[in-house]
């Protein structure tokens, strides 16, 4: 005899919604860690493996190559097989790509690993965005997105500060990448947990049916509202202004401003720290005032001066702040003239995503 459940009306209970949130957010945490694991490793790849800046940049850039079309295809896959199986597939690619990157010093095998990782990671984010929109559509949407980004940014923070808390691993180029592979494995474990929750409980509540919430109608692409394309352009320029810098940020702080690897990692990690703290705050504000376009505009202005301020010779100074964080085994002096632009970038980096992704989802 098949046991039948009475479908309940209304939204899922608090514990269930946030259990789903925790599972997919920690899976995204793993993906973010893998992505940002290259930046603090750049000088070791150069000194121990003889990689050029172009080759190091390629390891980061190749991640984006499949996503010119893969994110769109990922949306089709999600629609065809559902978020459960799609997210499981994408998290497997994340784990496989991270492992391949770590096993060999051959630049082409490492690049292949980053390519496979890119095929899974961005599509996994699309799947997780769909999952959160489905489970939080009726309540706490912006807050859920903001806190999701907070957990994801923790992956960035830990990766960029790994020279401090995992200093022993940095004796050899492969050590940090093995930690990265473990983070990739974490993603698939957490997605498997989400799979169980969604399969067990989703049908009992008033959620959109699997595969129906984001169905792609190709002819509708040419009928999208102008506001959607404006947001698309904002998103493209915003991330183009952030991610290429982050690839070489630690190396830049070391070579141009004479910072240590630990100080460079923390300066770059300021973006993640501020995003973890401020993104939920801006998410709550957006939910309250419901004028997300104002926050989008204000956040953009905070990005304008930062690269001029960090250009060699544009600003200088000997003032520094002594930072001691036992949790990360971090004890460094941070130049004040570099803290200022990074703090400004951090505000914009926190404000834009907290309103941008919910706006896309709502639209």
């Amino acid at each position: 005899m098949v046991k039948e459940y009475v479908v309940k009306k209304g939204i899922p209970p608090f514990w269930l919604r946030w259990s789903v949130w925790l599972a997919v957010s920690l899976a995204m945490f793993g993906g973010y860690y893998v992505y940002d694991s290259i930046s603090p490793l750049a000088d070791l790849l150069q000194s121990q493996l003889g990689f050029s800046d172009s080759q190091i940049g390629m390891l980061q850039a190749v991640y984006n190559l499949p996503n010119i079309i893969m994110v769109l295809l990922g949306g089709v896959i999600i629609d065809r097989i559902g978020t459960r199986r799609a997210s499981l597939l994408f998290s497997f690619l994340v784990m496989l790509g991270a492992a391949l990157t770590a096993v060999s010093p051959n630049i082409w095998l490492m690049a292949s690993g980053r390519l496979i990782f890119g095929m899974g990671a961005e599509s996994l984010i699309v799947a997780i965005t769909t999952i959160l929109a489905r489970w939080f559509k009726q309540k706490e949407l912006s807050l859920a997105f903001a806190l999701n980004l907070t957990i994801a940014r923790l992956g960035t923070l830990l990766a960029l500060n790994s020279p401090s808390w995992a200093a022993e691993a940095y004796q050899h180029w492969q050590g940090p990448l093995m930690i990265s592979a473990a983070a990739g494995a974490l993603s698939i474990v957490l997605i498997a947990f989400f799979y169980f929750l969604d399969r067990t409980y989703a049908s009992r509540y008033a959620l959109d049916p699997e595969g129906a919430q984001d169905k792609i109608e190709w002819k509708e692409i040419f009928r999208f509202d102008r506001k959607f394309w404006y947001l698309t352009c904002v998103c493209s320029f915003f991330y183009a202004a952030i991610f290429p810098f982050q690839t070489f940020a630690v190396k830049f702080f070391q070579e141009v401003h004479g910072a240590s690897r630990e100080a460079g990692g923390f300066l770059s990690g300021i973006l993640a720290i501020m995003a973890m703290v401020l993104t939920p705050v801006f998410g709550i504000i957006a939910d309250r005032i419901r004028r997300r376009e104002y926050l989008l505009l204000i956040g953009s202005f905070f990005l304008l001066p930062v690269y001029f301020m960090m250009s060699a010779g544009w600003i200088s100074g000997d003032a520094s702040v002594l930072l001691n964080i036992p949790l990360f085994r971090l004890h460094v002096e941070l130049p004040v003239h570099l803290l200022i632009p990074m703090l400004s970038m951090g505000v914009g980096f926190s404000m834009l995503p907290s309103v941008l992704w919910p706006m896309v989802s709502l639209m």
Side-chain angles (χ1 to χ4, degrees):
M1 177 177 173
V2 178
K3 187 176 181 180
E4 296 183 357
Y5 293 100
V6 177
V7 177
K8 300 180 181 178
K9 295 182 179 180
I11 63 176
F14 177 90
W15 73 267
L16 181 55
R17 291 198 314 275
W18 289 97
S19 293
V20 168
W21 169 87
L22 182 63
V24 299
S25 296
L26 287 176
M28 206 157 135
F29 160 93
Y32 272 57
Y33 187 100
V34 176
Y35 178 84
D36 288 295
S37 60
I38 296 295
S39 180
L41 191 60
D43 63 321
L44 283 183
L45 293 176
Q46 190 170 59
S47 62
Q48 294 185 1
L49 300 182
F51 288 0
S52 65
D53 284 344
S54 297
Q55 289 174 316
I56 296 170
M58 181 185 69
L59 290 178
Q60 206 75 316
V62 75
Y63 165 92
N64 297 290
L65 183 62
N67 292 307
I68 297 173
I69 59 171
M70 185 61 196
V71 172
L72 185 59
L73 293 178
V76 177
I77 292 172
I78 292 168
D79 178 54
R80 293 289 176 85
I81 68 176
T83 54
R84 287 197 297 263
R85 286 184 289 178
S87 57
L88 203 60
L89 170 64
F90 299 145
S91 60
F92 172 76
L93 294 176
V94 166
M95 180 186 68
L96 178 61
L100 281 177
T101 306
V103 297
S104 170
N106 182 279
I107 181 64
W108 298 111
L109 185 58
M110 293 180 73
S112 298
R114 295 292 289 182
L115 181 72
I116 293 171
F117 165 63
M119 291 174 63
E122 290 295 323
S123 295
L124 179 61
I125 293 173
V126 173
I128 289 174
T129 300
T130 305
I131 290 165
L132 291 177
R134 182 176 178 234
W135 280 84
F136 289 87
K137 186 175 182 178
Q138 301 177 62
K139 191 175 185 180
E140 304 163 324
L141 179 63
S142 288
L143 179 60
F145 272 110
L147 289 175
N148 169 254
L149 284 174
T150 295
I151 297 299
R153 298 300 181 201
L154 179 60
T156 294
L157 177 63
L158 289 179
L160 293 175
N161 283 280
S162 56
S164 298
W165 61 265
E168 296 82 0
Y170 279 81
Q171 301 301 313
H172 189 262
W173 67 269
Q174 201 169 29
L177 292 180
M178 295 304 293
I179 299 175
S180 173
L186 175 69
S187 289
I188 195 169
V189 170
L190 270 299
I191 288 298
F193 177 58
F194 155 74
Y195 189 104
F196 165 77
L197 290 176
D198 194 81
R199 184 174 182 178
T200 304
Y201 295 104
S203 61
R204 306 185 194 182
Y205 299 96
L207 300 178
D208 292 337
E210 264 284 89
Q213 65 271 18
D214 284 309
K215 186 175 182 179
I216 294 178
E217 297 288 349
W218 296 102
K219 62 182 180 182
E220 295 298 323
I221 292 177
F222 301 100
R223 302 176 186 174
F224 285 168
D225 190 279
R226 285 182 301 172
K227 290 183 289 186
F228 169 81
W229 294 113
Y230 292 154
L231 286 179
T232 300
C233 290
V234 170
C235 183
S236 298
F237 284 110
F238 168 66
Y239 285 111
I242 298 291
F243 288 160
F245 166 74
Q246 277 197 310
T247 300
F248 290 99
V250 178
K251 199 167 184 288
F252 168 75
F253 292 136
Q254 287 179 279
E255 296 182 357
V256 177
H257 294 283
S260 65
R261 185 192 291 127
E262 291 77 12
F266 183 81
L267 284 167
S268 184
I270 283 175
L271 301 184
I273 295 173
M274 295 187 69
M276 289 168 60
V277 175
L278 294 181
T279 302
V281 174
F282 292 134
I284 293 172
I285 293 173
D287 281 336
R288 293 292 178 84
I289 67 174
R290 297 186 180 279
R291 298 308 300 264
R292 295 174 172 86
E293 64 274 14
Y294 291 153
L295 294 178
L296 201 64
L297 182 63
I298 294 169
S300 300
F301 277 106
F302 276 95
L303 298 178
L304 289 178
V306 296
Y307 293 117
F308 292 105
M309 296 177 70
M310 286 189 291
S311 296
W314 206 84
I315 56 173
S316 61
D318 297 325
S320 62
V321 174
L322 182 63
L323 184 70
N324 184 25
I325 304 179
L327 179 63
F328 290 108
R329 292 189 283 180
L330 186 65
H331 184 81
V332 295
E333 290 189 0
L334 301 175
V336 172
H337 69 277
L338 293 177
L339 275 174
I340 295 171
M342 292 306 296
L343 290 172
S344 179
M345 186 186 292
V347 174
F349 191 65
S350 306
M351 191 176 295
L352 267 77
S354 69
V355 296
L356 181 61
W357 295 113
M359 285 178 75
V360 173
S361 179
L362 290 171
M363 193 173 298

